[in-house]
């Protein structure tokens, strides 16, 4: 937990590994996940590194596994996932794995090819079966088709003119077409025909092309195949139709076949004689039955192969990816001159040095090497990576901070404070006991069902975001229940737990004849004992509720905002003290605190003073509710040095000497502006002039130089690591003009930001009021209508209206309003709070970890 407040101390190490033990040692470090390796071959092409062939072999094995996975998913076979992560296999086991995958792939491809050939043959026989069935009907109907009226002809024959129709009848003869395409006896001519199968969606275009290309001199009949047929190449179900085309002459025959070929229609031989067709149909049915038997056996063999592969596929993926990750890491190493030792550089947490040494020794023993690895700490001025240890609870809050920027090395981390302030500020805007309970129950369900929900890996991004922030959602719901209890607001209604302190002293006639009556807190209408916790429930039914809540919520928003910002400034003090940056303490922290306290914190003190001194039942006129001065007007007059207006008996001041003290506070606060603007650059300029006239000493001042940077002998800390420039605020290499500009920007940003950031916290007030009013509108306009109806009809109406109200409540007030409050809370932390102390200029510690590699690989595979 300690590293959550400030990142872990990191050290740069040099690692010497014997070539035979390097694989096993890196494997152990990958299981540990505490070492970040540096690339010592940045100028070497990826294809020219030492272990590129091993990486290619792993890529090939992964390709084969993906092919197996695709086939397994195609058949809907469940893959066994024990949740365990097998260790990375030894290099010699790669050959066995490659042989196993090669055998499975070849066997599966051969089975698939055979099955595709059998399915293609089966499709052809099935289409031929339908042709033989349908053509019998065509031949029976063909003869009368020539001599019948237009209503029984095809669409394009009906479009032909009468002259062409008469010529065709004369050409074919009076007896027409006999079964099998008998010639026209009157002219001693014979008609030819072709039969085939075509996709159903291509049939209309096919008919139009035949009509136009053959000038209406063909006779087309078609019939749909009711059941869909399976495409052997893609496995999709397609719908087809049987057709037969009668024509006369070889020229038309050639033209018809070309059109059929262009529309990818399949032509089949069809005998002319009915007896020949029956014999062929019987032969086709026999062959289809035999093919069905062979296809079943082929599918059973394929299923057995895939079931056997599915049992080990997950483990194979893990093994191959671990091997690949190890060789990728080994490619980052350097070879020494003897080619027998690998040299690596890595960042490691200082506290885990012993754990890493144990893992290296374990890897050496596994490999059977007799030469132990050597791990040496190195000195460097490079900025180390930032590493904050997190668990499943703190990880979500740390992710919110890292989304803004990774902390500089050893910089104060806002995450532990965010764990409390984030859900609390959210709850101030989302304060409703009912809505908070819904959110808390949803978060609690995800927390309690954490393991089974995490096991169901999904690529639904929205669900993954909700599940990743389950602890944040749970805390936001719990805090919202608390603030809802303080606001005494549950679905826009109140809870009268302790009894109201107000009482109605009007008689019945006065109450019934007046729509609006007021209760005076200065009389016996008010008992004088306030409601124990939160707001009195009577405010929920009062007409001036919004006026009262406006003043109340606006003031607490300003109070929370000033305290939050002031806390951020004090967190920055811990950064300055840790990095021994005394110049920043005297020239930045102190004037910032004075400016914020003397102006804005003083305004919050006036709010408390007003609440304490003025009351409705005060015996003195100047302390009555009507004489209470406006805090906003008082603050504006204070800043502008403007005397308050004379208020008669009411005093514009709350205490004696207020005018003089306020002028003093404003003058001191304004003096802090040039203090922040000029003090630090002048001190840096002065220290540079002094250093230019002094001899070079082996060590500098023990308390640090005047510029606020670290001493030479303090520059290397945590294993020789220098703090990040954003944290240490070193200015040795900056020009004076840049320092002045930089300091001017920071001063203007802080002074103007103090005003704008304080006003920005008013969003706590605005969103809280908006949420309460939306809940009230939804109750009055939806659910209230269902409660006003009686009888059994009213019960049914209430059931339906309650459903609508519940959907709108969850969809609008919980989801949409919750998302809005979440984003506003995120802005308050990123801009108003973290800008006071957080630089966020570091880079994250990314260790070589099998767990992270496997998670990223599985997520990319699912996508």
């Amino acid at each position: 937990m300690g590293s959550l407040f400030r990142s872990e101390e990191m050290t740069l190490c040099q690692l010497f590994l014997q070539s035979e033990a390097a694989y096993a040692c890196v494997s152990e470090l990958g299981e540990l996940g505490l070492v970040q390796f540096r690339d010592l071959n940045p100028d070497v092409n990826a294809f020219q590194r030492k272990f590129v062939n091993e990486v290619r072999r792993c890529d090939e094995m992964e390709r084969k596994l993906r092919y197996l996975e695709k086939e397994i998913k195609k058949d809907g076979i469940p893959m066994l996932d024990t949740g365990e992560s097998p260790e990375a296999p030894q290099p010699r086991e790669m050959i066995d794995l490659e042989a196993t995958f090669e055998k499975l792939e070849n066997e599966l491809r051969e089975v698939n090819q055979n099955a595709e050939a059998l399915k293609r043959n089966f499709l052809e026989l099935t289409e031929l079966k339908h042709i033989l069935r349908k053509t019998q009907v065509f031949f029976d109907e063909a003869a009368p088709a020539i001599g019948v009226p237009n209503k029984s002809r095809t669409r394009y024959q009906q479009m032909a003119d009468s002259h062409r129709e008469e010529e065709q009848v004369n050409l074919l003869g009076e007896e027409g077409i006999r079964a099998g395409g008998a010639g026209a006896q009157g002219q001693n001519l014979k008609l030819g025909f072709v039969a085939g199968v075509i996709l159903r969606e291509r049939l209309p275009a096919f008919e139009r092309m035949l009509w136009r290309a053959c000038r209406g001199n063909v006779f087309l009949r078609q019939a749909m195949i009711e059941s869909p047929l399976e495409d052997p190449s893609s496995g999709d179900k397609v719908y087809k139709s049987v057709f037969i085309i009668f024509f006369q002459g070889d020229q038309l025959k050639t033209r018809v076949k070309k059109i059929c070929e262009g529309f990818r229609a399949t032509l089949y031989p069809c005998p002319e004689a009915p007896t020949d067709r029956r014999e062929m149909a019987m032969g086709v049915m026999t062959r289809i039955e035999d093919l069905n038997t062979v296809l079943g056996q082929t599918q059973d063999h394929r299923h057995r192969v895939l079931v056997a592969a599915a049992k080990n596929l997950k483990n194979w993926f893990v093994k191959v990816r671990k091997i690949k990750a190890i060789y990728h890491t080994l490619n980052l190493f350097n070879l020494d001159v003897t080619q027998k030792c690998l040299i690596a550089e890595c960042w490691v947490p200082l506290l885990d040095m012993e754990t890493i040494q144990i893992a290296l020794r374990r890897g050496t023993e596994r490999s059977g090497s007799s030469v132990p690895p050597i791990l040496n700490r190195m000195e460097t001025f490079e900025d180390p990576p930032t590493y904050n240890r997190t668990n499943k609870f703190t990880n979500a809050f740390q992710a919110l901070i890292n989304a803004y920027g990774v902390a500089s090395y050893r910089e104060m981390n806002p995450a532990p404070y965010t764990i409390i302030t984030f859900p609390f500020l959210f709850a101030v805007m989302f304060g409703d006991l009912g809505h908070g309970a819904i959110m808390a129950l949803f978060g609690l369900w995800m927390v309690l069902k954490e393991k089974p929900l995490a096991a169901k890996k999904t690529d639904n991004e929205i669900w993954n975001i909700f599940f990743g922030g389950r602890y944040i959602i749970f805390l936001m719901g719990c805090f919202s229940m608390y603030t809802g209890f303080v606001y005494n607001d549950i679905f826009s209604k109140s809870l009268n737990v302790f009894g109201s302190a107000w009482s109605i002293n009007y008689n019945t006639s006065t109450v019934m004849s007046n729509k609006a009556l007021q209760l005076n807190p200065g009389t016996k209408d008010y008992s004088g004992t306030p409601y124990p916790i939160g707001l009195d429930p009577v405010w929920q039914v009062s007409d001036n509720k919004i006026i009262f809540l406006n003043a109340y919520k606006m003031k607490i928003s300003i109070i929370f905002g000033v305290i939050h910002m002031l806390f951020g400034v004090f967190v920055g003090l811990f950064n300055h003290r840790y990095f021994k940056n005394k110049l920043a303490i005297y020239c930045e922290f102190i004037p910032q605190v004075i400016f914020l306290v003397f102006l804005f914190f003083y305004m919050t003190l006036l709010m408390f003073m007003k609440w304490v001194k003025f009351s409705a039942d005060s015996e003195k006129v100047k302390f009555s509710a009507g004489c209470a001065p406006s805090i906003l007007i008082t603050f504006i007059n204070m800043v502008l040095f403007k005397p308050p207006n004379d208020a008669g008996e009411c005093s514009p001041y709350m205490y004696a000497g207020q005018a003089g003290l306020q002028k003093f506070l404003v003058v001191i606060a304004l003096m802090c502006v040039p203090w922040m603007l000029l003090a630090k650059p002048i001190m840096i300029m002065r220290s540079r002039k002094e250093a230019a006239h002094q001899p070079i000493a082996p060590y500098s001042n023990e308390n640090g130089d005047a510029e606020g940077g670290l001493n030479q002998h303090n520059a290397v800390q945590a294993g020789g690591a220098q703090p990040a420039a954003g944290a240490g605020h070193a200015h040795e290499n900056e020009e004076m003009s840049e320092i002045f500009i930089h300091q001017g920007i920071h001063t203007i940003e802080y002074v103007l930001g103090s005003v704008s950031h304080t006003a920005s916290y008013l969003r706590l007030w605005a969103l809280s009021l908006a949420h309460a009013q939306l809940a009230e509108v939804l109750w009055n306009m939806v659910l209230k209508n269902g409660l006003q109806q009686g009888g059994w009809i009213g019960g049914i109406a209430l059931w339906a209206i309650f459903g609508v109200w519940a959907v709108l409540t969850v969809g609008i007030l919980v989801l949409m309003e919750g998302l809005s409050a979440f984003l506003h809370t995120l802005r308050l932390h990123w801009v108003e709070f973290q800008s006071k102390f957080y630089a966020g200029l570091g880079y994250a510690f990314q260790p070589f970890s099998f767990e992270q590699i496997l998670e990223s690989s599985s997520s990319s595979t699912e996508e």
Side-chain angles (χ1 to χ4, degrees):
M1 186 67 181
S3 68
L4 192 63
F5 290 93
R6 198 183 294 277
S7 62
E8 289 275 351
E9 292 187 34
M10 307 295 292
T11 180
L12 182 64
C13 294
Q14 193 172 36
L15 179 61
F16 295 88
L17 297 173
Q18 192 183 12
S19 298
E20 292 79 7
Y23 181 92
C25 290
V26 172
S27 174
E28 291 292 336
L29 294 179
E31 299 289 349
L32 202 60
L34 289 173
V35 178
Q36 176 178 334
F37 291 100
R38 301 173 64 188
D39 190 1
L40 300 183
N41 308 298
D43 300 327
V44 180
N45 192 293
F47 300 102
Q48 296 175 346
R49 303 203 176 192
K50 179 175 177 57
F51 300 99
V52 63
N53 291 329
E54 286 78 1
V55 173
R56 286 175 176 172
R57 289 166 62 188
C58 292
D59 287 335
E60 181 63 19
M61 286 192 289
E62 201 169 2
R63 181 196 62 78
K64 294 174 182 176
L65 289 177
R66 284 196 297 269
Y67 171 71
L68 291 174
E69 184 182 33
K70 184 185 72 173
E71 296 297 323
I72 290 171
K73 289 181 177 179
K74 184 187 294 184
D75 282 19
I77 299 173
M79 290 178 284
L80 182 64
D81 188 3
T82 59
E84 300 178 356
S85 178
E87 293 184 352
Q90 295 297 321
R92 57 180 176 272
E93 297 181 31
M94 280 184 64
I95 302 175
D96 298 336
L97 289 175
E98 286 178 313
T100 302
F101 301 159
E102 183 73 21
K103 178 183 176 183
L104 282 172
E105 185 190 28
N106 292 337
E107 186 174 4
L108 193 58
R109 287 191 183 278
E110 184 179 356
V111 170
N112 288 342
Q113 290 174 0
N114 293 337
E116 186 176 346
L118 291 171
K119 287 180 180 179
R120 186 173 287 106
N121 197 357
F122 180 79
L123 176 65
E124 293 173 355
L125 291 174
T126 305
E127 291 176 349
L128 181 57
K129 177 187 72 174
H130 286 290
I131 286 176
L132 294 175
R133 287 180 180 178
K134 302 292 183 181
T135 51
Q136 182 62 43
V137 180
F138 293 158
F139 282 118
D140 292 342
E141 295 177 356
I146 298 300
V148 296
N150 285 343
K151 64 179 181 179
S152 63
R153 298 179 184 269
T154 64
R155 181 163 58 94
Y156 296 113
Q157 285 175 324
Q158 293 176 12
M159 292 172 59
D161 54 9
S162 58
H163 177 72
R164 183 180 298 275
E165 209 167 17
E166 292 175 359
E167 289 180 354
Q168 188 173 2
V169 171
N170 292 332
L171 178 65
L172 296 179
E174 295 178 357
E175 294 185 7
I177 302 172
R178 299 293 183 184
Q185 294 179 3
Q187 301 290 335
N188 293 324
L189 296 176
K190 184 177 182 180
L191 287 181
F193 66 89
V194 292
V197 175
I198 191 172
L199 289 174
R200 193 175 297 176
E201 60 267 17
R202 295 177 182 170
L203 191 59
F206 180 62
E207 290 186 60
R208 287 195 298 269
M209 180 59 69
L210 277 174
W211 171 257
R212 293 169 183 171
C214 301
R215 303 181 184 275
N217 292 316
V218 294
F219 182 63
L220 170 69
R221 294 301 306 273
Q222 56 89 15
M224 292 187 297
I225 301 175
E226 292 79 7
S227 57
L229 305 176
E230 183 182 352
D231 188 349
S233 57
S234 63
D236 299 333
K237 297 293 184 179
V238 294
Y239 288 88
K240 296 188 175 183
S241 295
V242 172
F243 66 88
I244 185 168
I245 305 171
F246 294 95
F247 51 84
Q248 189 266 325
D250 293 337
Q251 186 176 3
L252 280 180
K253 178 180 180 181
T254 305
R255 191 173 300 175
V256 166
K257 286 188 174 181
K258 285 185 178 180
I259 294 173
C260 292
E261 183 180 353
F263 280 87
R264 297 182 182 178
T266 309
L267 300 180
Y268 290 95
C270 182
E272 297 180 1
T275 56
D276 295 340
R277 286 198 297 273
R278 283 194 295 271
E279 290 179 3
M280 180 177 285
M282 293 175 61
V284 167
M285 293 299 297
T286 305
R287 292 178 61 188
I288 287 177
E289 292 177 0
D290 296 340
L291 270 180
N292 270 327
T293 305
V294 178
L295 266 174
Q297 295 174 352
T298 305
Q299 292 295 336
D300 290 342
H301 178 61
R302 168 189 162 88
H303 187 76
R304 286 194 299 270
V305 173
L306 293 178
V307 167
K311 294 179 180 179
N312 301 311
L313 190 68
K314 294 289 185 182
N315 287 342
W316 285 341
F317 264 121
V318 171
K319 289 181 178 180
V320 170
R321 285 167 179 165
K322 284 188 175 182
I323 297 172
K324 183 179 177 181
I326 291 172
Y327 282 118
H328 263 303
T329 304
L330 290 175
N331 276 333
L332 306 178
F333 296 4
N334 256 342
L335 277 172
D336 68 342
V337 292
T338 62
Q339 302 286 318
K340 293 182 179 179
C341 180
L342 290 172
I343 305 172
E345 291 182 6
C346 54
W347 291 106
V348 299
L350 198 59
L351 295 177
D352 296 315
M353 287 288 292
E354 185 177 353
T355 307
I356 294 170
Q357 293 277 16
I358 295 172
L360 290 173
R361 285 198 294 269
R362 190 164 56 245
T364 305
E365 293 172 0
R366 280 181 54 194
S367 64
S369 174
S370 57
V371 181
I374 302 172
L375 187 65
N376 295 328
R377 292 175 60 183
M378 301 172 60
E379 292 187 357
T380 179
F381 291 102
E382 184 180 347
D383 297 335
T386 301
Y387 177 43
N388 296 103
R389 296 183 194 271
T390 58
N391 52 34
K392 60 184 180 181
F393 174 72
T394 59
N395 183 59
F397 293 96
Q398 188 65 53
L400 290 180
I401 304 302
N402 292 341
Y404 174 79
V406 179
S408 303
Y409 178 65
R410 301 293 288 166
E411 184 182 20
M412 287 295 291
N413 184 22
Y417 319 111
T418 305
I419 293 175
I420 297 300
T421 59
F422 192 92
F424 178 73
L425 292 182
F426 172 87
V428 173
M429 294 182 274
F430 196 74
D432 189 293
L433 188 59
H435 301 153
I438 295 174
M439 185 175 291
L441 289 174
F442 176 61
L444 182 62
W445 172 74
M446 288 191 291
V447 170
L448 296 178
K449 298 289 185 179
E450 185 175 288
K451 291 184 178 179
L453 291 175
K456 297 178 181 178
K457 296 180 179 179
T458 176
D459 56 351
N460 190 320
E461 189 175 355
I462 296 178
W463 165 253
N464 290 335
I465 291 174
F466 278 127
F467 184 71
R470 56 193 178 277
Y471 290 99
I472 299 179
I473 294 174
F474 176 66
L475 284 182
M476 290 192 305
C478 292
F479 277 73
S480 298
M481 292 174 66
Y482 165 73
T483 54
F485 185 72
V486 171
Y487 294 158
N488 205 348
D489 192 357
I490 172 170
F491 299 120
S492 78
K493 297 302 172 185
S494 60
L495 295 173
N496 192 0
V497 180
F498 304 102
S500 175
W502 295 84
S503 60
I504 301 176
N505 295 305
Y506 297 104
N507 55 35
T508 305
S509 60
T510 304
V511 173
M512 299 303 294
S513 60
N514 292 277
K515 292 185 178 180
L517 292 173
Q518 291 187 352
L519 301 178
N520 188 357
T523 62
K524 57 184 178 180
D525 294 339
Y526 183 63
S527 65
T529 304
Y531 198 69
I533 300 177
L535 294 179
D536 195 296
V538 75
W539 283 109
Q540 282 290 352
V541 296
S542 63
D543 290 339
N544 61 337
K545 173 184 69 171
I546 191 70
I547 300 174
F548 172 75
L549 290 179
N550 255 335
Y552 168 69
K553 293 185 177 180
M554 182 172 63
K555 287 182 175 63
I556 64 171
S557 299
I558 296 297
I559 293 171
F560 289 149
V562 172
I563 293 175
H564 199 213
M565 291 190 295
L566 198 58
F567 175 67
V569 176
F570 274 97
V571 173
L573 175 63
F574 292 98
N575 277 335
H576 303 325
R577 293 186 60 187
Y578 179 80
F579 294 115
K580 300 186 173 108
N581 197 350
K582 291 186 177 181
L583 188 63
I585 296 176
Y586 297 136
C587 300
E588 290 181 352
F589 169 73
I590 294 178
Q592 286 177 355
V593 170
I594 293 175
F595 184 85
L596 196 60
V597 169
F598 280 19
L599 292 181
F600 299 98
F601 188 72
Y602 173 75
M603 180 174 62
T604 64
L605 292 179
L606 291 180
M607 295 178 189
F608 285 100
M609 193 176 297
K610 179 179 178 179
W611 286 335
V612 172
K613 294 195 67 173
F614 297 90
S615 63
D617 56 354
S618 176
E619 297 178 358
K620 297 182 180 181
V621 177
K622 64 177 182 178
F623 293 138
S624 63
C627 287
S630 170
I631 301 296
L632 181 60
I633 300 299
T634 301
F635 183 72
I636 293 174
N637 292 337
M638 166 186 166
V639 176
L640 298 178
F641 296 99
K642 181 181 178 182
N645 298 325
D646 188 13
E649 296 183 5
C650 299
S651 173
Y653 298 112
M654 298 185 190
Y655 59 91
Q658 180 177 351
L661 179 60
Q662 289 182 168
K663 290 179 181 179
F664 172 76
L665 294 178
V666 174
V667 170
I668 297 300
L670 292 178
M671 289 175 61
C672 291
V673 177
W675 186 357
M676 287 185 284
L677 180 63
L678 302 174
K680 187 174 180 180
I682 290 174
M683 292 295 292
I684 293 175
M685 186 187 306
R686 183 178 175 183
S687 64
R688 287 187 179 182
K689 288 182 180 179
E690 292 177 357
H693 293 87
Q694 291 179 357
I696 299 175
Y699 294 100
S700 62
N701 189 338
E702 193 170 8
N703 293 327
D705 58 8
E707 296 181 21
L710 294 178
N711 298 324
Q712 183 66 27
H713 66 282
N714 289 331
V716 179
Q717 56 174 301
Q722 184 187 14
H729 298 286
H731 301 281
E732 288 83 357
N733 299 324
E734 285 190 61
E735 295 288 339
M736 284 307 304
S737 59
E738 295 180 359
I739 294 176
F740 272 101
I741 293 173
H742 187 266
Q743 194 64 24
I745 292 173
H746 274 281
T747 303
I748 295 172
E749 181 183 3
Y750 182 82
V751 173
L752 297 182
S754 298
V755 180
S756 63
H757 291 177
T758 304
S760 183
Y761 278 92
L762 290 175
R763 68 186 70 236
L764 299 174
W765 154 60
L767 266 74
S768 177
L769 286 178
H771 185 80
Q773 290 302 305
L774 277 174
E776 187 172 356
V777 167
L778 198 60
W779 181 284
N780 292 331
M781 297 187 65
V782 180
L783 192 59
K784 188 177 180 181
N785 297 327
L787 295 173
Q788 290 177 346
Q789 300 182 22
W792 64 272
I793 298 178
I796 297 175
L798 179 61
W799 174 80
I801 292 174
F802 177 80
V804 175
W805 175 82
V807 171
L808 293 177
T809 297
V810 174
I812 297 177
L813 294 179
V814 177
L815 289 178
M816 294 180 62
E817 279 286 307
L819 178 60
S820 174
F822 179 89
L823 294 177
H824 283 284
T825 309
L826 197 61
R827 181 242 153 79
L828 289 177
H829 281 79
W830 280 0
V831 180
E832 278 72 24
F833 174 59
Q834 292 177 196
S835 63
K836 301 296 185 292
F837 68 95
Y838 189 65
L841 300 177
Y843 63 100
F845 176 61
Q846 296 177 336
F848 170 60
S849 171
F850 285 146
E851 183 180 358
Q852 296 180 6
I853 292 172
L854 293 175
E855 285 181 1
S856 60
S857 299
S858 61
S859 61
S860 61
T861 302
E862 289 173 1
E863 291 175 1

